[in-house]
Amino acid sequence: MIVLFVSFEGIDGSGKSTITQYVYHYFLNKGTHVMMTREPGGNMIAEKIRAIILDPVNDMMDDRTEALLYAASRRQHLVEKILPALDKGTLVLCDRFVDSSIAYQGYGRQIGPKEILEINLFAIENHMPDITFFLDVDLEIGLSRVEDRAEKDRLETSGDSFFKRVYDGYQEIIKDNPRFVIVDASRSIEAIGQEIIEKIEARLNT
């Protein structure tokens, strides 16, 4: 039995959450044992941490506090939800995982990718995704989609220069990393979803 842990990454406004749901419903309708989850969040404790991180009221939050809260949320999510699902042979689809912290806090907040990776390796004990799909969309398109949202969370108000560093950070993370599959996210949901589904099925049938 092949067990697969799949993560979806991308800048805000890349359509990542929509695609994760599209892929999830495909495998669910097919009868596959599949679980969709997200970060930060995914279970009760992690969702409470998510609320603290993203609440616009917490605009005085220190960058390192933010990074540590993400790692804490990820740890609880991993041990309580992701690992038990994988142990049961469930296909796990996760909207963001450790690469988001490296991109957003390591590069975006300029804490440093090595520093963020270090605290997250402690949190996840090297349980990395088997395959990560990066939904690549033009930065301006992503930012315009975020701008159109009626309510923005604390990270979404971080400014264009922050998101430029995040996008560039992702490019550094992806470079020479065989776990990543870059997907053109400027196309229709159906086209993007089908490309990802085909790649997941190819891994499951290996």
Side-chain angles (χ1 to χ4, degrees):
M1 177 178 64
I2 296 177
V3 178
L4 207 60
F5 176 19
V6 181
S7 64
F8 296 82
E9 294 286 349
I11 60 169
D12 288 59
S14 63
K16 169 184 49 55
S17 300
T18 300
I19 294 301
T20 305
Q21 292 178 30
Y22 181 96
V23 175
Y24 168 73
H25 286 294
Y26 168 84
F27 283 105
L28 185 67
N29 293 333
K30 191 180 178 183
T32 304
H33 291 289
V34 59
M35 181 185 79
M36 178 178 66
T37 190
R38 70 172 183 176
E39 290 210 343
N43 65 317
M44 186 181 69
I45 294 174
E47 286 289 342
K48 288 182 177 180
I49 298 173
R50 175 190 178 94
I52 294 170
I53 294 172
L54 299 182
D55 191 339
V57 173
N58 298 326
D59 58 351
M60 294 298 291
M61 184 180 294
D62 178 77
D63 291 344
R64 289 175 183 254
T65 299
E66 177 184 280
L68 290 165
L69 285 172
Y70 272 112
S73 173
R74 179 163 297 122
R75 172 65 185 179
Q76 189 65 31
H77 182 215
L78 178 76
V79 299
E80 187 175 331
K81 193 166 184 179
I82 294 177
L83 292 182
L86 292 172
D87 287 343
K88 294 176 182 177
T90 302
L91 168 62
V92 174
L93 307 175
C94 192
D95 181 348
R96 297 199 182 284
F97 198 62
V98 66
D99 300 297
S100 282
S101 284
I102 299 171
Y104 279 75
Q105 283 72 54
Y107 288 97
R109 299 297 191 206
Q110 299 178 295
I111 296 173
K114 291 182 180 179
E115 289 80 356
I116 297 300
L117 178 60
E118 184 175 318
I119 63 172
N120 276 277
L121 288 178
F122 171 78
I124 65 173
E125 296 181 285
N126 295 317
H127 290 289
M128 297 293 282
D130 299 297
I131 183 170
T132 298
F133 293 99
F134 177 72
L135 300 189
D136 196 6
V137 67
D138 184 83
L139 180 60
E140 291 184 2
I141 293 175
L143 291 176
S144 67
R145 291 173 179 172
V146 172
E147 189 61 35
D148 289 340
R149 293 173 182 170
E151 294 184 6
K152 300 179 183 63
D153 62 40
R154 193 177 64 83
L155 258 71
E156 290 171 343
T157 60
S158 297
D160 291 2
S161 59
F162 168 79
F163 286 107
K164 176 66 164 60
R165 291 194 298 271
V166 170
Y167 182 82
D168 291 344
Y170 269 122
Q171 305 312 305
E172 291 300 316
I173 297 167
I174 293 168
K175 192 182 299 181
D176 300 322
N177 190 332
R179 173 168 52 86
F180 273 88
V181 175
I182 301 173
V183 179
D184 178 3
S186 66
R187 299 168 296 161
S188 69
I189 293 172
E190 292 76 16
I192 300 166
Q194 286 304 311
E195 178 183 344
I196 292 172
I197 287 165
E198 288 175 7
K199 286 182 167 57
I200 292 175
E201 288 188 321
R203 290 288 293 270
L204 290 173
N205 296 327
T206 301

